[in-house]
Amino acid sequence: MDLKGYKRDILPLKDKLFRLALRILGNHADAQDAVQDVLIKTWQDRHQLKLVANVEAWIFRMTRNRSIDLIRARKKNNCEIEQAYGLASHQRSPLEKTESQDIQDRIRKVIAQLPEQQKMVIHLREIEGLTYQEIADVLDITMAQVKIIIFRGRKQLKKELINLHKYE
């Protein structure tokens, strides 16, 4: 295909190609880039166009594929700056460690203020990880009582933590 044939057959499709790319990409600049890439590739491969049965369908498919490639590249390149340059730290910062320790101290203080039975059940459930049935067996009470005690303990714990947080 020569320049006249390219201008006559291929270039008039650029608006349709742009609309297709815009629909897929949702971005004006990226759609223009996709169409430009397709038109350049078509010009470079113009000698092989004789082998293509439906040139218009072939160009539309190229545009679709290029648009999808741009979406994939966009997703691949979206990462945090720290990760991109290997600066990401998996350790907690001193501030995060201090905040975590403060919260744990508050929870311990509030649990210490709970009635003895609630304190014991909360400890067995939340810290030791026992099931309701295991707690019932250990304390020789029914599972229904365990559920009620845990509910009341958690409710009291929540209330005290909210009150403590309000004053700070």
Side-chain angles (χ1 to χ4, degrees):
M1 175 179 282
D2 61 345
L3 183 58
K4 284 185 181 183
Y6 185 82
K7 286 181 178 179
R8 180 187 68 237
D9 297 336
I10 307 298
L11 285 182
L13 299 174
K14 72 179 186 316
D15 292 335
K16 290 181 182 179
L17 298 174
F18 174 76
R19 287 191 295 270
L20 173 66
L22 183 61
R23 175 169 287 170
I24 294 170
L25 293 167
N27 182 335
H28 214 69
D30 288 343
Q32 287 175 336
D33 289 345
V35 170
Q36 183 177 0
D37 292 345
V38 168
L39 292 176
I40 290 171
K41 178 104 170 104
T42 306
W43 175 252
Q44 290 171 345
D45 295 341
R46 67 186 178 276
H47 303 296
Q48 297 175 355
L49 290 177
K50 295 179 240 175
L51 305 174
V52 177
N54 187 344
V55 175
E56 187 173 339
W58 181 71
I59 292 175
F60 273 93
R61 174 152 307 201
M62 283 180 61
T63 304
R64 176 185 164 274
N65 291 343
R66 180 63 186 142
S67 299
I68 292 170
D69 288 345
L70 288 173
I71 289 172
R72 287 180 182 152
R74 190 184 314 156
K75 286 181 182 176
K76 183 179 178 184
N77 291 331
N78 283 348
C79 64
E80 296 294 325
I81 292 173
E82 292 85 6
Q83 292 174 343
Y85 293 101
L87 302 174
S89 173
H90 300 296
Q91 294 181 352
R92 295 187 306 172
S93 70
L95 177 65
E96 291 171 331
K97 288 179 183 177
T98 304
E99 287 176 346
S100 176
Q101 188 63 43
D102 287 346
I103 290 171
Q104 289 176 11
D105 291 343
R106 289 178 189 165
I107 291 172
R108 282 189 197 103
K109 286 178 185 176
V110 173
I111 289 176
Q113 295 171 358
L114 291 175
E116 192 59 38
Q117 193 175 32
Q118 284 181 357
K119 192 184 323 182
M120 180 64 73
V121 172
I122 294 285
H123 176 80
L124 291 174
R125 176 67 182 160
E126 303 301 334
I127 296 171
E128 300 298 329
L130 298 179
T131 65
Y132 290 159
Q133 187 60 53
E134 290 171 335
I135 294 170
D137 294 341
V138 168
L139 298 178
D140 197 31
I141 57 178
T142 66
M143 194 161 58
Q145 288 175 311
V146 171
K147 290 178 182 180
I148 291 170
I149 293 168
I150 288 176
F151 172 77
R152 290 178 181 164
R154 286 178 179 165
K155 186 176 176 183
Q156 184 66 28
L157 190 63
K158 180 181 175 183
K159 179 182 168 189
E160 293 296 325
L161 287 173
I162 289 172
N163 287 339
L164 188 66
H165 186 66
K166 281 183 184 177
Y167 292 114
E168 290 181 1

